[in-house]
Amino acid sequence: QVQLVESGGGSVQTGGSLRLSCAHSGPTFSTYTMGWFRQAPGKERDFVAGSTWSGGRSAYADSVKGRFTISGDSAKNTMFLQMNSLKPEDTAVYYCAVSRWSWGTRKDQYDYWGQGTQVTVSS
Protein backbone atom coordinates (compact mmCIF):
# COMPACT_ATOMS: atom_id res chain seq x y z
CA GLN A 1 0.00 0.00 0.00
CA VAL A 2 1.36 3.39 -0.99
CA GLN A 3 1.46 6.10 1.66
CA LEU A 4 2.42 9.72 1.15
CA VAL A 5 3.34 12.13 3.93
CA GLU A 6 3.91 15.82 3.22
CA SER A 7 6.01 18.22 5.26
CA GLY A 8 7.54 21.66 4.90
CA GLY A 9 4.50 23.88 4.91
CA GLY A 10 4.35 27.05 6.95
CA SER A 11 3.87 30.81 6.90
CA VAL A 12 6.00 33.18 4.88
CA GLN A 13 5.82 36.73 3.60
CA THR A 14 5.34 37.71 -0.01
CA GLY A 15 8.46 36.96 -1.99
CA GLY A 16 9.62 34.24 0.35
CA SER A 17 10.35 30.59 -0.38
CA LEU A 18 9.31 27.20 0.95
CA ARG A 19 10.24 23.67 0.05
CA LEU A 20 7.60 21.00 0.42
CA SER A 21 8.57 17.36 0.78
CA CYS A 22 6.52 14.24 0.26
CA ALA A 23 7.83 10.95 1.59
CA HIS A 24 6.58 7.96 -0.35
CA SER A 25 6.40 4.50 1.24
CA GLY A 26 5.30 1.29 -0.39
CA PRO A 27 5.90 -0.05 -3.89
CA THR A 28 7.21 2.25 -6.59
CA PHE A 29 7.28 1.73 -10.32
CA SER A 30 8.92 3.48 -13.20
CA THR A 31 5.46 4.25 -14.58
CA TYR A 32 4.63 6.47 -11.64
CA THR A 33 3.83 10.12 -12.10
CA MET A 34 4.17 12.40 -9.10
CA GLY A 35 2.14 15.54 -8.69
CA TRP A 36 1.32 18.45 -6.44
CA PHE A 37 -2.13 19.98 -6.10
CA ARG A 38 -3.47 22.76 -3.90
CA GLN A 39 -6.80 23.76 -2.48
CA ALA A 40 -7.68 27.19 -1.19
CA PRO A 41 -10.71 27.70 1.10
CA GLY A 42 -13.94 27.45 -0.84
CA LYS A 43 -12.19 26.44 -4.05
CA GLU A 44 -11.53 23.30 -6.03
CA ARG A 45 -8.35 21.30 -5.66
CA ASP A 46 -6.17 22.42 -8.56
CA PHE A 47 -3.14 21.01 -10.29
CA VAL A 48 0.13 22.75 -9.49
CA ALA A 49 2.92 20.60 -10.94
CA GLY A 50 3.58 17.08 -12.14
CA SER A 51 6.56 15.05 -13.25
CA THR A 52 7.68 11.56 -14.05
CA TRP A 53 10.10 10.15 -11.52
CA SER A 54 12.83 10.29 -14.12
CA GLY A 55 12.18 13.99 -14.60
CA GLY A 56 11.92 13.48 -18.33
CA ARG A 57 8.47 14.99 -18.48
CA SER A 58 7.00 17.75 -16.35
CA ALA A 59 4.16 20.23 -16.36
CA TYR A 60 3.20 23.29 -14.35
CA ALA A 61 0.10 25.37 -13.87
CA ASP A 62 0.48 28.73 -15.61
CA SER A 63 0.16 30.52 -12.29
CA VAL A 64 3.34 28.93 -10.91
CA LYS A 65 5.56 28.60 -13.98
CA GLY A 66 8.97 30.06 -13.39
CA ARG A 67 8.45 30.15 -9.62
CA PHE A 68 7.85 26.51 -8.59
CA THR A 69 9.95 23.46 -9.37
CA ILE A 70 8.97 19.83 -8.88
CA SER A 71 11.65 17.21 -8.37
CA GLY A 72 12.14 13.77 -6.95
CA ASP A 73 14.82 11.71 -5.26
CA SER A 74 14.09 8.12 -6.23
CA ALA A 75 16.77 6.78 -3.90
CA LYS A 76 14.96 8.36 -0.95
CA ASN A 77 11.44 7.89 -2.38
CA THR A 78 10.78 11.55 -1.77
CA MET A 79 9.33 14.24 -4.03
CA PHE A 80 9.75 17.96 -3.57
CA LEU A 81 8.10 21.20 -4.55
CA GLN A 82 10.41 24.19 -4.38
CA MET A 83 8.32 27.35 -4.20
CA ASN A 84 9.98 30.72 -4.77
CA SER A 85 8.64 34.26 -5.08
CA LEU A 86 5.54 33.28 -3.16
CA LYS A 87 2.41 35.39 -3.44
CA PRO A 88 -0.66 35.66 -1.19
CA GLU A 89 -2.68 33.85 -3.87
CA ASP A 90 -0.45 30.80 -3.34
CA THR A 91 -2.02 30.35 0.09
CA ALA A 92 -3.64 26.91 0.19
CA VAL A 93 -3.37 23.39 1.49
CA TYR A 94 -0.88 21.58 -0.72
CA TYR A 95 -1.25 17.87 -1.48
CA CYS A 96 1.20 15.49 -3.07
CA ALA A 97 -0.17 12.68 -5.18
CA VAL A 98 0.97 9.71 -7.22
CA SER A 99 -0.47 8.21 -10.36
CA ARG A 100 0.44 4.60 -11.06
CA TRP A 101 -0.17 4.59 -14.78
CA SER A 102 -1.41 7.93 -16.07
CA TRP A 103 0.27 11.15 -17.02
CA GLY A 104 -1.94 14.17 -16.57
CA THR A 105 -3.15 17.14 -14.62
CA ARG A 106 -6.57 15.94 -13.53
CA LYS A 107 -7.28 14.90 -9.95
CA ASP A 108 -8.99 11.70 -11.08
CA GLN A 109 -5.78 10.51 -12.75
CA TYR A 110 -4.02 10.24 -9.40
CA ASP A 111 -4.40 7.18 -7.20
CA TYR A 112 -2.74 8.07 -3.90
CA TRP A 113 -2.81 11.27 -1.90
CA GLY A 114 -1.05 12.74 1.09
CA GLN A 115 -2.86 14.41 3.96
CA GLY A 116 -1.94 17.94 2.92
CA THR A 117 0.22 20.69 4.35
CA GLN A 118 -0.80 24.32 4.86
CA VAL A 119 1.06 27.11 3.10
CA THR A 120 0.19 30.67 4.08
CA VAL A 121 1.68 33.69 2.35
CA SER A 122 1.10 37.08 3.94
CA SER A 123 1.39 40.44 2.21
Side-chain angles (χ1 to χ4, degrees):
Q1 181 69 17
V2 173
Q3 290 188 321
L4 304 173
V5 179
E6 299 104 335
S7 61
S11 297
V12 295
Q13 292 187 325
T14 297
S17 298
L18 283 174
R19 189 192 196 202
L20 305 184
S21 299
C22 177
H24 173 292
S25 61
T28 60
F29 300 94
S30 60
T31 54
Y32 275 17
T33 293
M34 53 183 177
W36 288 92
F37 289 74
R38 67 186 181 187
Q39 187 167 18
K43 295 189 176 182
E44 295 288 321
R45 188 174 299 188
D46 292 329
F47 173 80
V48 174
S51 177
T52 54
W53 272 106
S54 67
R57 187 175 185 181
S58 63
Y60 294 89
D62 288 342
S63 59
V64 307
K65 279 181 183 176
R67 301 188 297 123
F68 290 12
T69 303
I70 186 173
S71 63
D73 184 336
S74 57
K76 297 181 179 180
N77 279 355
T78 302
M79 64 177 90
F80 305 98
L81 184 68
Q82 178 66 44
M83 306 185 294
N84 299 328
S85 302
L86 284 162
K87 306 174 182 180
E89 51 264 43
D90 294 319
T91 295
V93 177
Y94 283 71
Y95 298 88
C96 63
V98 166
S99 171
R100 288 173 296 177
W101 305 110
S102 301
W103 164 259
T105 62
R106 301 196 321 265
K107 295 187 295 290
D108 61 1
Q109 292 175 304
Y110 287 78
D111 305 291
Y112 303 103
W113 293 84
Q115 82 287 353
T117 186
Q118 177 70 45
V119 171
T120 302
V121 184
S122 58
S123 56

